[in-house]
Amino acid sequence: MSNLLEVLITCDSNNTLWTCSIWDSHTGTNLMTYKGGGTAENHTLSFIGSDYLAVVQKTKPVLHVWPLNSQQTVQGMRFILPGKASAFAVTPDGSYCVAGIEEKIYLWQISSGSLLTIINRHYQKVNLLKFTSDGRFFISAAEDGMVMVWSLATVAANPEVELVTQTIAGQHDPAYIFSDHSLPVTDLYISKTGMHGRLFTVSSDRSCKVYDLTCGEMLLNLIFDEPLSAIVLDVLELNAFIGTTEGKIFQCSLTNPPRNRDVLVNNGDNMNIFSSHTKAVTCLSISLNGDILMSGSNDEQLILWHIRSRQPVRVIRHKGPITNAFFTTNYDAIYKQDFTPGIVLHSLERTLEKNSENVSEIEVLVKKDSNFWPTCGDMSIDTTHYDSFAATEVDIVSKQNETKLKEELEKMKLINSNLYALSIQNTLKTIPIELEKKKITVHKKKKNKSHLK
């Protein structure tokens, strides 16, 4: 199954068989299971680079990490958190991770386990943490309805590498603060372009808000009849799919923007609605080709929808409410028995209190390029043959076209030369005829004159 381009990874609240599972979305086959992690917390399932899979346990302050090719967690190392985490995210390159514990945000460097800072700006429990595609910023959302955008380099850097203690921690200012929601934020989506794109947030206050991350302004406010619980955008980010607590999924087109910023959306406004779930929708994801919409719900069903027809293609039943589910590129490490991970793991520090002698300078490496589309990594399919074959085929076609154009050009030159010769021949023939006519007329005139005399 290593020739698959994308797979589906899910978690549910019933951990009797497994904590996480990887599925083939085309056939519904279970490809891999990860055990021993208890019940996964909502929106905490993350990949650490392309080597590990991590999830936060719902009932204990523990972070469980699995190698991608093993059903058991990492041996000889435990990742104990300062408290039970309600949100968790990892940078795309697997260098840093953040966790939301109550109203605080903890930031670690994964390779050293160093706790870099503790952010304390939210007033209630943090629900969501997500990084941008380039890993330079991360966004936090909490039950207080506030959404904050943080710069990783600004938060992780300590001025003059001074000793950071619990009392002075969290004195960082976010890049943006959005406080337009009146109830807890339930889900958010960041554009593939990161800080050059848009931010979509949904909340229990029945509203979906769209922000421009380049200037921090709210562009659109969609108000629904039901509390909202999940959101995702299609591949081209032209349509938003919004899940509700009643089990419906609304499809909103962003190609025809309304004149007003605040728009009331009703069920009868010629909207595309995906309706099959009986309980709240918890997870939404779009396949890489943009044809399939995945929805997970508290009714223990994971449904794959064909977007154009809005019909369910496949239903994957679980043993409990679905807590995490999304499409991802297929990693080759899943199917290897032996592989050497490129990321170094270390147990996480729980406090900032350190001896001044142990304080060391940490470099924050930031990628400036944004990956608009997910990369498949080192796939087992050897594309060099196909690329060379396609290149040779293109060369053959271009050469054939070139020979045809040359033949047509030669024909046109021949026709042009023949036309030129014919026109010159005709002009030369007409000249003596006209001279003969003139001579005849002159001779006739002379004869007439002689007769008159």
Side-chain angles (χ1 to χ4, degrees), residues 204-247:
S204 300
D205 61 3
R206 306 181 181 184
S207 68
C208 171
K209 302 184 189 299
V210 184
Y211 299 95
D212 186 357
L213 290 177
T214 57
C215 60
E217 295 183 358
M218 185 169 68
L219 303 177
L220 187 62
N221 181 25
L222 300 174
I223 303 171
F224 291 80
D225 294 335
E226 303 170 5
L228 307 180
S229 57
I231 185 171
V232 73
L233 268 72
D234 59 3
V235 176
L236 298 178
E237 298 182 356
L238 301 179
N239 294 278
F241 299 89
I242 302 170
T244 68
T245 56
E246 303 296 328

mmCIF file of all heavy atoms in Angstrom, residues 204-247:
data_model
loop_
_atom_site.group_PDB
_atom_site.id
_atom_site.type_symbol
_atom_site.label_atom_id
_atom_site.label_comp_id
_atom_site.label_asym_id
_atom_site.label_seq_id
_atom_site.Cartn_x
_atom_site.Cartn_y
_atom_site.Cartn_z
ATOM 1 N N SER A 204 -19.406 28.509 18.740
ATOM 2 C CA SER A 204 -20.721 28.119 19.234
ATOM 3 C C SER A 204 -21.727 29.256 19.174
ATOM 4 O O SER A 204 -22.923 29.027 19.403
ATOM 5 C CB SER A 204 -20.606 27.626 20.681
ATOM 6 O OG SER A 204 -19.747 26.503 20.757
ATOM 7 N N ASP A 205 -21.273 30.467 18.879
ATOM 8 C CA ASP A 205 -22.210 31.596 18.749
ATOM 9 C C ASP A 205 -22.873 31.645 17.374
ATOM 10 O O ASP A 205 -23.448 32.667 16.992
ATOM 11 C CB ASP A 205 -21.501 32.912 19.034
ATOM 12 C CG ASP A 205 -20.355 33.183 18.057
ATOM 13 O OD1 ASP A 205 -20.161 32.374 17.126
ATOM 14 O OD2 ASP A 205 -19.658 34.191 18.225
ATOM 15 N N ARG A 206 -22.750 30.543 16.603
ATOM 16 C CA ARG A 206 -23.410 30.353 15.307
ATOM 17 C C ARG A 206 -22.840 31.248 14.206
ATOM 18 O O ARG A 206 -23.528 31.531 13.218
ATOM 19 C CB ARG A 206 -24.925 30.601 15.426
ATOM 20 C CG ARG A 206 -25.589 29.773 16.508
ATOM 21 C CD ARG A 206 -27.070 30.022 16.562
ATOM 22 N NE ARG A 206 -27.703 29.224 17.628
ATOM 23 C CZ ARG A 206 -29.004 29.177 17.852
ATOM 24 N NH1 ARG A 206 -29.826 29.887 17.097
ATOM 25 N NH2 ARG A 206 -29.488 28.432 18.823
ATOM 26 N N SER A 207 -21.640 31.681 14.342
ATOM 27 C CA SER A 207 -21.042 32.564 13.341
ATOM 28 C C SER A 207 -19.731 31.981 12.821
ATOM 29 O O SER A 207 -19.010 31.291 13.553
ATOM 30 C CB SER A 207 -20.781 33.961 13.914
ATOM 31 O OG SER A 207 -19.769 33.912 14.901
ATOM 32 N N CYS A 208 -19.462 32.275 11.549
ATOM 33 C CA CYS A 208 -18.200 31.942 10.899
ATOM 34 C C CYS A 208 -17.574 33.250 10.436
ATOM 35 O O CYS A 208 -18.195 33.996 9.672
ATOM 36 C CB CYS A 208 -18.415 30.997 9.723
ATOM 37 S SG CYS A 208 -16.952 30.734 8.695
ATOM 38 N N LYS A 209 -16.370 33.517 10.880
ATOM 39 C CA LYS A 209 -15.727 34.794 10.583
ATOM 40 C C LYS A 209 -14.481 34.546 9.744
ATOM 41 O O LYS A 209 -13.737 33.586 9.964
ATOM 42 C CB LYS A 209 -15.377 35.537 11.872
ATOM 43 C CG LYS A 209 -16.609 35.803 12.745
ATOM 44 C CD LYS A 209 -16.288 36.622 13.964
ATOM 45 C CE LYS A 209 -17.483 36.673 14.912
ATOM 46 N NZ LYS A 209 -18.673 37.295 14.309
ATOM 47 N N VAL A 210 -14.273 35.439 8.779
ATOM 48 C CA VAL A 210 -13.135 35.359 7.854
ATOM 49 C C VAL A 210 -12.266 36.584 8.076
ATOM 50 O O VAL A 210 -12.760 37.724 8.010
ATOM 51 C CB VAL A 210 -13.608 35.286 6.387
ATOM 52 C CG1 VAL A 210 -12.413 35.112 5.455
ATOM 53 C CG2 VAL A 210 -14.614 34.162 6.190
ATOM 54 N N TYR A 211 -10.974 36.355 8.350
ATOM 55 C CA TYR A 211 -10.029 37.432 8.614
ATOM 56 C C TYR A 211 -8.935 37.432 7.555
ATOM 57 O O TYR A 211 -8.552 36.377 7.036
ATOM 58 C CB TYR A 211 -9.387 37.276 9.995
ATOM 59 C CG TYR A 211 -10.350 37.312 11.149
ATOM 60 C CD1 TYR A 211 -10.852 36.132 11.699
ATOM 61 C CD2 TYR A 211 -10.763 38.519 11.704
ATOM 62 C CE1 TYR A 211 -11.739 36.157 12.764
ATOM 63 C CE2 TYR A 211 -11.653 38.548 12.774
ATOM 64 C CZ TYR A 211 -12.135 37.367 13.293
ATOM 65 O OH TYR A 211 -13.018 37.390 14.344
ATOM 66 N N ASP A 212 -8.426 38.632 7.271
ATOM 67 C CA ASP A 212 -7.268 38.790 6.398
ATOM 68 C C ASP A 212 -6.032 38.881 7.288
ATOM 69 O O ASP A 212 -5.878 39.836 8.062
ATOM 70 C CB ASP A 212 -7.411 40.047 5.547
ATOM 71 C CG ASP A 212 -6.309 40.178 4.511
ATOM 72 O OD1 ASP A 212 -5.408 39.312 4.501
ATOM 73 O OD2 ASP A 212 -6.343 41.128 3.719
ATOM 74 N N LEU A 213 -5.136 37.896 7.195
ATOM 75 C CA LEU A 213 -3.977 37.854 8.077
ATOM 76 C C LEU A 213 -2.886 38.848 7.682
ATOM 77 O O LEU A 213 -1.961 39.076 8.467
ATOM 78 C CB LEU A 213 -3.387 36.435 8.098
ATOM 79 C CG LEU A 213 -4.249 35.380 8.806
ATOM 80 C CD1 LEU A 213 -3.591 34.011 8.707
ATOM 81 C CD2 LEU A 213 -4.471 35.745 10.266
ATOM 82 N N THR A 214 -2.975 39.436 6.514
ATOM 83 C CA THR A 214 -1.973 40.430 6.140
ATOM 84 C C THR A 214 -2.188 41.761 6.850
ATOM 85 O O THR A 214 -1.232 42.472 7.150
ATOM 86 C CB THR A 214 -1.993 40.658 4.620
ATOM 87 O OG1 THR A 214 -3.318 41.053 4.217
ATOM 88 C CG2 THR A 214 -1.601 39.387 3.887
ATOM 89 N N CYS A 215 -3.458 42.090 7.141
ATOM 90 C CA CYS A 215 -3.744 43.365 7.798
ATOM 91 C C CYS A 215 -4.523 43.201 9.100
ATOM 92 O O CYS A 215 -4.662 44.165 9.861
ATOM 93 C CB CYS A 215 -4.520 44.286 6.857
ATOM 94 S SG CYS A 215 -6.104 43.618 6.307
ATOM 95 N N GLY A 216 -5.039 41.994 9.371
ATOM 96 C CA GLY A 216 -5.746 41.765 10.618
ATOM 97 C C GLY A 216 -7.183 42.238 10.640
ATOM 98 O O GLY A 216 -7.761 42.414 11.718
ATOM 99 N N GLU A 217 -7.787 42.451 9.485
ATOM 100 C CA GLU A 217 -9.172 42.925 9.420
ATOM 101 C C GLU A 217 -10.122 41.764 9.163
ATOM 102 O O GLU A 217 -9.759 40.776 8.530
ATOM 103 C CB GLU A 217 -9.328 43.974 8.325
ATOM 104 C CG GLU A 217 -8.559 45.250 8.577
ATOM 105 C CD GLU A 217 -8.818 46.281 7.490
ATOM 106 O OE1 GLU A 217 -9.565 45.946 6.541
ATOM 107 O OE2 GLU A 217 -8.263 47.383 7.577
ATOM 108 N N MET A 218 -11.362 41.916 9.657
ATOM 109 C CA MET A 218 -12.391 40.921 9.388
ATOM 110 C C MET A 218 -13.039 41.228 8.039
ATOM 111 O O MET A 218 -13.511 42.350 7.806
ATOM 112 C CB MET A 218 -13.445 40.914 10.503
ATOM 113 C CG MET A 218 -14.476 39.809 10.331
ATOM 114 S SD MET A 218 -15.548 39.571 11.765
ATOM 115 C CE MET A 218 -16.469 41.099 11.723
ATOM 116 N N LEU A 219 -13.053 40.227 7.161
ATOM 117 C CA LEU A 219 -13.602 40.409 5.820
ATOM 118 C C LEU A 219 -15.068 40.025 5.727
ATOM 119 O O LEU A 219 -15.836 40.661 4.991
ATOM 120 C CB LEU A 219 -12.796 39.572 4.819
ATOM 121 C CG LEU A 219 -11.293 39.841 4.757
ATOM 122 C CD1 LEU A 219 -10.631 38.890 3.775
ATOM 123 C CD2 LEU A 219 -11.018 41.283 4.378
ATOM 124 N N LEU A 220 -15.470 38.975 6.449
ATOM 125 C CA LEU A 220 -16.822 38.454 6.296
ATOM 126 C C LEU A 220 -17.274 37.813 7.596
ATOM 127 O O LEU A 220 -16.470 37.226 8.327
ATOM 128 C CB LEU A 220 -16.856 37.415 5.163
ATOM 129 C CG LEU A 220 -18.208 36.859 4.730
ATOM 130 C CD1 LEU A 220 -19.093 37.965 4.187
ATOM 131 C CD2 LEU A 220 -18.030 35.770 3.691
ATOM 132 N N ASN A 221 -18.564 37.946 7.876
ATOM 133 C CA ASN A 221 -19.167 37.353 9.065
ATOM 134 C C ASN A 221 -20.438 36.632 8.642
ATOM 135 O O ASN A 221 -21.438 37.272 8.300
ATOM 136 C CB ASN A 221 -19.470 38.436 10.106
ATOM 137 C CG ASN A 221 -20.086 37.865 11.366
ATOM 138 O OD1 ASN A 221 -19.895 36.686 11.686
ATOM 139 N ND2 ASN A 221 -20.843 38.680 12.079
ATOM 140 N N LEU A 222 -20.376 35.293 8.619
ATOM 141 C CA LEU A 222 -21.531 34.477 8.239
ATOM 142 C C LEU A 222 -22.250 34.021 9.499
ATOM 143 O O LEU A 222 -21.628 33.430 10.397
ATOM 144 C CB LEU A 222 -21.087 33.262 7.421
ATOM 145 C CG LEU A 222 -20.360 33.556 6.102
ATOM 146 C CD1 LEU A 222 -19.857 32.265 5.473
ATOM 147 C CD2 LEU A 222 -21.268 34.297 5.141
ATOM 148 N N ILE A 223 -23.546 34.271 9.564
ATOM 149 C CA ILE A 223 -24.343 33.929 10.743
ATOM 150 C C ILE A 223 -25.320 32.827 10.351
ATOM 151 O O ILE A 223 -26.091 32.969 9.398
ATOM 152 C CB ILE A 223 -25.096 35.158 11.270
ATOM 153 C CG1 ILE A 223 -24.101 36.284 11.588
ATOM 154 C CG2 ILE A 223 -25.890 34.802 12.522
ATOM 155 C CD1 ILE A 223 -24.751 37.599 11.899
ATOM 156 N N PHE A 224 -25.299 31.716 11.086
ATOM 157 C CA PHE A 224 -26.120 30.549 10.789
ATOM 158 C C PHE A 224 -27.216 30.404 11.855
ATOM 159 O O PHE A 224 -27.258 31.140 12.855
ATOM 160 C CB PHE A 224 -25.259 29.288 10.745
ATOM 161 C CG PHE A 224 -24.319 29.234 9.565
ATOM 162 C CD1 PHE A 224 -23.119 29.932 9.589
ATOM 163 C CD2 PHE A 224 -24.627 28.488 8.448
ATOM 164 C CE1 PHE A 224 -22.253 29.892 8.511
ATOM 165 C CE2 PHE A 224 -23.764 28.433 7.374
ATOM 166 C CZ PHE A 224 -22.575 29.131 7.400
ATOM 167 N N ASP A 225 -28.097 29.415 11.620
ATOM 168 C CA ASP A 225 -29.185 29.127 12.555
ATOM 169 C C ASP A 225 -28.789 28.118 13.622
ATOM 170 O O ASP A 225 -29.544 27.915 14.564
ATOM 171 C CB ASP A 225 -30.412 28.585 11.787
ATOM 172 C CG ASP A 225 -31.017 29.640 10.874
ATOM 173 O OD1 ASP A 225 -30.829 30.833 11.163
ATOM 174 O OD2 ASP A 225 -31.654 29.256 9.881
ATOM 175 N N GLU A 226 -27.621 27.480 13.458
ATOM 176 C CA GLU A 226 -27.214 26.420 14.371
ATOM 177 C C GLU A 226 -25.792 26.689 14.858
ATOM 178 O O GLU A 226 -25.001 27.321 14.152
ATOM 179 C CB GLU A 226 -27.257 25.047 13.659
ATOM 180 C CG GLU A 226 -28.615 24.712 13.068
ATOM 181 C CD GLU A 226 -28.563 23.479 12.182
ATOM 182 O OE1 GLU A 226 -27.476 22.868 12.128
ATOM 183 O OE2 GLU A 226 -29.581 23.138 11.564
ATOM 184 N N PRO A 227 -25.441 26.219 16.050
ATOM 185 C CA PRO A 227 -24.050 26.338 16.509
ATOM 186 C C PRO A 227 -23.111 25.568 15.593
ATOM 187 O O PRO A 227 -23.434 24.470 15.130
ATOM 188 C CB PRO A 227 -24.089 25.740 17.917
ATOM 189 C CG PRO A 227 -25.514 25.839 18.341
ATOM 190 C CD PRO A 227 -26.335 25.683 17.100
ATOM 191 N N LEU A 228 -21.942 26.136 15.336
ATOM 192 C CA LEU A 228 -20.983 25.562 14.392
ATOM 193 C C LEU A 228 -19.891 24.817 15.149
ATOM 194 O O LEU A 228 -19.520 25.199 16.269
ATOM 195 C CB LEU A 228 -20.372 26.665 13.530
ATOM 196 C CG LEU A 228 -21.384 27.579 12.827
ATOM 197 C CD1 LEU A 228 -20.667 28.638 12.007
ATOM 198 C CD2 LEU A 228 -22.338 26.781 11.954
ATOM 199 N N SER A 229 -19.369 23.758 14.521
ATOM 200 C CA SER A 229 -18.414 22.905 15.225
ATOM 201 C C SER A 229 -17.167 22.566 14.413
ATOM 202 O O SER A 229 -16.177 22.126 14.994
ATOM 203 C CB SER A 229 -19.093 21.594 15.646
ATOM 204 O OG SER A 229 -19.642 20.932 14.512
ATOM 205 N N ALA A 230 -17.169 22.738 13.097
ATOM 206 C CA ALA A 230 -16.000 22.365 12.289
ATOM 207 C C ALA A 230 -16.018 23.146 10.987
ATOM 208 O O ALA A 230 -17.086 23.576 10.521
ATOM 209 C CB ALA A 230 -15.988 20.861 11.997
ATOM 210 N N ILE A 231 -14.842 23.324 10.405
ATOM 211 C CA ILE A 231 -14.734 24.031 9.129
ATOM 212 C C ILE A 231 -13.529 23.515 8.364
ATOM 213 O O ILE A 231 -12.513 23.122 8.958
ATOM 214 C CB ILE A 231 -14.615 25.561 9.331
ATOM 215 C CG1 ILE A 231 -14.623 26.288 7.980
ATOM 216 C CG2 ILE A 231 -13.378 25.920 10.135
ATOM 217 C CD1 ILE A 231 -14.721 27.788 8.078
ATOM 218 N N VAL A 232 -13.648 23.487 7.035
ATOM 219 C CA VAL A 232 -12.537 23.169 6.140
ATOM 220 C C VAL A 232 -12.829 23.832 4.806
ATOM 221 O O VAL A 232 -13.984 24.125 4.485
ATOM 222 C CB VAL A 232 -12.363 21.638 5.983
ATOM 223 C CG1 VAL A 232 -13.462 21.033 5.114
ATOM 224 C CG2 VAL A 232 -10.994 21.291 5.425
ATOM 225 N N LEU A 233 -11.773 24.092 4.031
ATOM 226 C CA LEU A 233 -11.913 24.662 2.701
ATOM 227 C C LEU A 233 -11.416 23.675 1.667
ATOM 228 O O LEU A 233 -10.607 22.789 1.974
ATOM 229 C CB LEU A 233 -11.149 25.980 2.580
ATOM 230 C CG LEU A 233 -11.960 27.249 2.895
ATOM 231 C CD1 LEU A 233 -12.243 27.343 4.388
ATOM 232 C CD2 LEU A 233 -11.252 28.498 2.415
ATOM 233 N N ASP A 234 -11.910 23.824 0.431
ATOM 234 C CA ASP A 234 -11.472 22.916 -0.624
ATOM 235 C C ASP A 234 -10.046 23.251 -1.046
ATOM 236 O O ASP A 234 -9.403 24.143 -0.502
ATOM 237 C CB ASP A 234 -12.441 22.968 -1.812
ATOM 238 C CG ASP A 234 -12.558 24.365 -2.415
ATOM 239 O OD1 ASP A 234 -11.839 25.266 -1.938
ATOM 240 O OD2 ASP A 234 -13.352 24.560 -3.342
ATOM 241 N N VAL A 235 -9.558 22.515 -2.032
ATOM 242 C CA VAL A 235 -8.148 22.625 -2.404
ATOM 243 C C VAL A 235 -7.809 24.022 -2.903
ATOM 244 O O VAL A 235 -6.780 24.596 -2.541
ATOM 245 C CB VAL A 235 -7.808 21.566 -3.477
ATOM 246 C CG1 VAL A 235 -6.367 21.723 -3.944
ATOM 247 C CG2 VAL A 235 -8.019 20.169 -2.918
ATOM 248 N N LEU A 236 -8.681 24.607 -3.703
ATOM 249 C CA LEU A 236 -8.440 25.943 -4.241
ATOM 250 C C LEU A 236 -8.943 27.045 -3.319
ATOM 251 O O LEU A 236 -8.835 28.230 -3.651
ATOM 252 C CB LEU A 236 -9.101 26.082 -5.618
ATOM 253 C CG LEU A 236 -8.575 25.145 -6.702
ATOM 254 C CD1 LEU A 236 -9.337 25.346 -7.999
ATOM 255 C CD2 LEU A 236 -7.092 25.356 -6.916
ATOM 256 N N GLU A 237 -9.521 26.667 -2.181
ATOM 257 C CA GLU A 237 -10.055 27.608 -1.189
ATOM 258 C C GLU A 237 -11.105 28.534 -1.797
ATOM 259 O O GLU A 237 -11.151 29.732 -1.530
ATOM 260 C CB GLU A 237 -8.913 28.410 -0.560
ATOM 261 C CG GLU A 237 -7.924 27.531 0.183
ATOM 262 C CD GLU A 237 -6.811 28.309 0.855
ATOM 263 O OE1 GLU A 237 -6.770 29.540 0.682
ATOM 264 O OE2 GLU A 237 -5.997 27.698 1.561
ATOM 265 N N LEU A 238 -11.974 27.927 -2.595
ATOM 266 C CA LEU A 238 -13.093 28.660 -3.189
ATOM 267 C C LEU A 238 -14.415 28.340 -2.508
ATOM 268 O O LEU A 238 -15.376 29.092 -2.678
ATOM 269 C CB LEU A 238 -13.205 28.333 -4.689
ATOM 270 C CG LEU A 238 -11.982 28.666 -5.543
ATOM 271 C CD1 LEU A 238 -12.226 28.256 -6.993
ATOM 272 C CD2 LEU A 238 -11.666 30.155 -5.479
ATOM 273 N N ASN A 239 -14.474 27.250 -1.763
ATOM 274 C CA ASN A 239 -15.688 26.847 -1.069
ATOM 275 C C ASN A 239 -15.346 26.465 0.360
ATOM 276 O O ASN A 239 -14.343 25.792 0.611
ATOM 277 C CB ASN A 239 -16.366 25.660 -1.769
ATOM 278 C CG ASN A 239 -16.880 26.019 -3.145
ATOM 279 O OD1 ASN A 239 -17.958 26.576 -3.290
ATOM 280 N ND2 ASN A 239 -16.091 25.705 -4.165
ATOM 281 N N ALA A 240 -16.194 26.902 1.284
ATOM 282 C CA ALA A 240 -16.029 26.558 2.696
ATOM 283 C C ALA A 240 -17.082 25.538 3.083
ATOM 284 O O ALA A 240 -18.260 25.677 2.731
ATOM 285 C CB ALA A 240 -16.150 27.811 3.564
ATOM 286 N N PHE A 241 -16.656 24.498 3.799
ATOM 287 C CA PHE A 241 -17.562 23.468 4.289
ATOM 288 C C PHE A 241 -17.618 23.604 5.812
ATOM 289 O O PHE A 241 -16.591 23.474 6.488
ATOM 290 C CB PHE A 241 -17.075 22.077 3.879
ATOM 291 C CG PHE A 241 -17.003 21.885 2.391
ATOM 292 C CD1 PHE A 241 -15.855 22.215 1.688
ATOM 293 C CD2 PHE A 241 -18.085 21.385 1.683
ATOM 294 C CE1 PHE A 241 -15.772 22.052 0.326
ATOM 295 C CE2 PHE A 241 -18.025 21.216 0.311
ATOM 296 C CZ PHE A 241 -16.875 21.549 -0.369
ATOM 297 N N ILE A 242 -18.807 23.883 6.327
ATOM 298 C CA ILE A 242 -18.985 24.227 7.736
ATOM 299 C C ILE A 242 -19.919 23.209 8.367
ATOM 300 O O ILE A 242 -21.052 23.019 7.917
ATOM 301 C CB ILE A 242 -19.552 25.654 7.873
ATOM 302 C CG1 ILE A 242 -18.617 26.650 7.183
ATOM 303 C CG2 ILE A 242 -19.739 26.011 9.344
ATOM 304 C CD1 ILE A 242 -19.196 28.044 7.061
ATOM 305 N N GLY A 243 -19.423 22.519 9.405
ATOM 306 C CA GLY A 243 -20.219 21.533 10.118
ATOM 307 C C GLY A 243 -20.883 22.139 11.343
ATOM 308 O O GLY A 243 -20.336 23.051 11.985
ATOM 309 N N THR A 244 -22.056 21.624 11.686
ATOM 310 C CA THR A 244 -22.831 22.146 12.800
ATOM 311 C C THR A 244 -22.994 21.068 13.874
ATOM 312 O O THR A 244 -22.692 19.888 13.666
ATOM 313 C CB THR A 244 -24.220 22.603 12.325
ATOM 314 O OG1 THR A 244 -24.987 21.452 11.915
ATOM 315 C CG2 THR A 244 -24.096 23.556 11.143
ATOM 316 N N THR A 245 -23.502 21.499 15.012
ATOM 317 C CA THR A 245 -23.754 20.561 16.105
ATOM 318 C C THR A 245 -24.980 19.701 15.852
ATOM 319 O O THR A 245 -25.196 18.709 16.564
ATOM 320 C CB THR A 245 -23.947 21.335 17.414
ATOM 321 O OG1 THR A 245 -25.013 22.287 17.252
ATOM 322 C CG2 THR A 245 -22.671 22.071 17.795
ATOM 323 N N GLU A 246 -25.788 20.034 14.844
ATOM 324 C CA GLU A 246 -26.961 19.239 14.496
ATOM 325 C C GLU A 246 -26.652 18.158 13.478
ATOM 326 O O GLU A 246 -27.543 17.386 13.109
ATOM 327 C CB GLU A 246 -28.064 20.157 13.945
ATOM 328 C CG GLU A 246 -28.480 21.275 14.890
ATOM 329 C CD GLU A 246 -29.093 20.746 16.167
ATOM 330 O OE1 GLU A 246 -29.738 19.678 16.123
ATOM 331 O OE2 GLU A 246 -28.909 21.384 17.222
ATOM 332 N N GLY A 247 -25.422 18.100 12.981
ATOM 333 C CA GLY A 247 -25.034 17.062 12.033
ATOM 334 C C GLY A 247 -25.043 17.487 10.586
ATOM 335 O O GLY A 247 -24.707 16.682 9.713
#
